Amino acid sequence: NAGVTQTPKFRILKIGQSMTLQCAQDMNHNYMYWYRQDPGMGLKLIYYSVGAGITDKGEVPNGYNVSRSTTEDFPLRLELAAPSQTSVYFCASSYTGPYNEQFFGPGTRLTVL
Amino acid sequence: SQKIEQNSEALNIQEGKTATLTCNYTNYSPAYLQWYRQDPGRGPVFLLLIRENEKEKRKERLKVTFDTTLKQSLFHITASQPADSATYLCARSDNNAGNMLTFGGGTRLMVKP
């Protein structure tokens, strides 16, 4: 099993550009999450999904969008990139809710200039 | 919102000693506390989960305690090794917070040979 995979590993965007961060898992997990991690600030939940077709906002959803058309994939969309979105983004999955361990991907380091 | 706090200062200890990391939370006790390890440039990796009604949980050289009176969880690594050097994150999940996991900022542990 590959676990949770994320692409790209690194990306530099200009202000106002858009991009999609890809996330896939092969563990047949129902729950998937997107976090951002700023230096020394811990992880902040952006969006999560409890199954295909169901998504919900986390703590910091502004400026992002998600979709979940399959169990495996959970892409994160940035429509109008801003410098405040410079961060490391982690995707995670779990079999059920947050009472179970979460499996994290390797992260995407995004810089917006 | 429910907060969870960890000491942002790095903890430096000598190999073979016991490392103790602290996680403090505010307001009411979370239903669960989870501990993760994060190495530089990588995603967090799950270590242990402890429930509100559990006082202690062990896994090999790791031990987690949950003190609802002090509103604190302690994470111990006995017989520490340089390979234990990493950032350790604690996270809370609450019965009334849906499917969200709230992370602390993490504490960096450095084990010197």
Side-chain angles (χ1 to χ4, degrees):
Chain A
N1 287 347
V4 179
T5 57
Q6 292 183 240
T7 55
K9 284 186 167 38
F10 304 94
R11 184 72 184 268
I12 298 175
L13 282 182
K14 294 182 179 178
I15 294 172
Q17 286 185 320
S18 61
M19 76 163 295
T20 299
L21 282 67
Q22 301 292 345
C23 173
Q25 53 92 9
D26 62 358
M27 296 173 282
N28 202 30
H29 285 169
N30 293 316
Y31 288 66
M32 295 187 75
Y33 311 83
W34 273 106
Y35 294 91
R36 59 176 288 173
Q37 186 175 37
D38 300 321
M41 296 298 290
L43 295 155
K44 300 283 187 188
L45 183 65
I46 305 171
Y47 270 96
Y48 66 94
S49 169
V50 301
I54 306 170
T55 63
D56 208 346
K57 296 178 181 178
E59 187 181 357
V60 290
N62 291 343
Y64 308 95
N65 277 303
V66 293
S67 60
R68 184 101 181 267
S69 57
T70 67
T71 300
E72 295 78 19
D73 301 298
F74 190 40
L76 178 71
R77 178 87 178 157
L78 282 71
E79 290 294 347
L80 291 169
S84 61
Q85 293 177 306
T86 294
S87 189
V88 180
Y89 291 84
F90 289 102
C91 179
S93 72
S94 63
Y95 182 60
T96 56
Y99 310 135
N100 287 93
E101 64 178 289
Q102 294 189 8
F103 294 81
F104 284 80
T108 294
R109 183 174 295 274
L110 176 67
T111 302
V112 181
L113 301 175
Chain B
S1 62
Q2 303 309 318
K3 290 188 178 178
I4 192 151
E5 296 172 347
Q6 296 181 257
N7 192 346
S8 59
E9 290 184 16
L11 177 64
N12 295 293
I13 65 166
Q14 205 66 34
E15 181 177 9
K17 300 292 186 184
T18 296
T20 298
L21 286 72
T22 303
C23 179
N24 295 299
Y25 59 87
T26 60
N27 299 328
Y28 54 84
S29 291
Y32 297 80
L33 278 169
Q34 299 187 24
W35 284 87
Y36 288 79
R37 169 185 172 139
Q38 187 174 24
D39 291 290
R42 293 178 172 267
V45 175
F46 173 80
L47 296 173
L48 281 169
L49 177 150
I50 187 166
R51 292 173 174 75
E52 184 182 12
N53 60 356
E54 296 176 319
K55 289 201 182 311
E56 183 179 296
K57 204 81 168 281
R58 290 178 185 260
K59 179 183 176 183
E60 298 172 354
R61 294 185 295 113
L62 309 180
K63 184 178 83 172
V64 173
T65 62
F66 195 161
D67 189 327
T68 55
T69 301
L70 294 178
K71 296 190 175 183
Q72 184 179 83
S73 174
L74 297 180
F75 177 81
H76 306 272
I77 305 175
T78 58
S80 60
Q81 305 164 1
D84 295 325
S85 299
T87 295
Y88 292 85
L89 305 168
C90 72
R92 64 180 291 165
S93 56
D94 297 281
N95 287 326
N96 65 348
N99 294 291
M100 290 195 269
L101 201 61
T102 302
F103 281 84
T107 298
R108 186 177 178 196
L109 173 66
M110 297 288 291
V111 181
K112 298 179 181 178

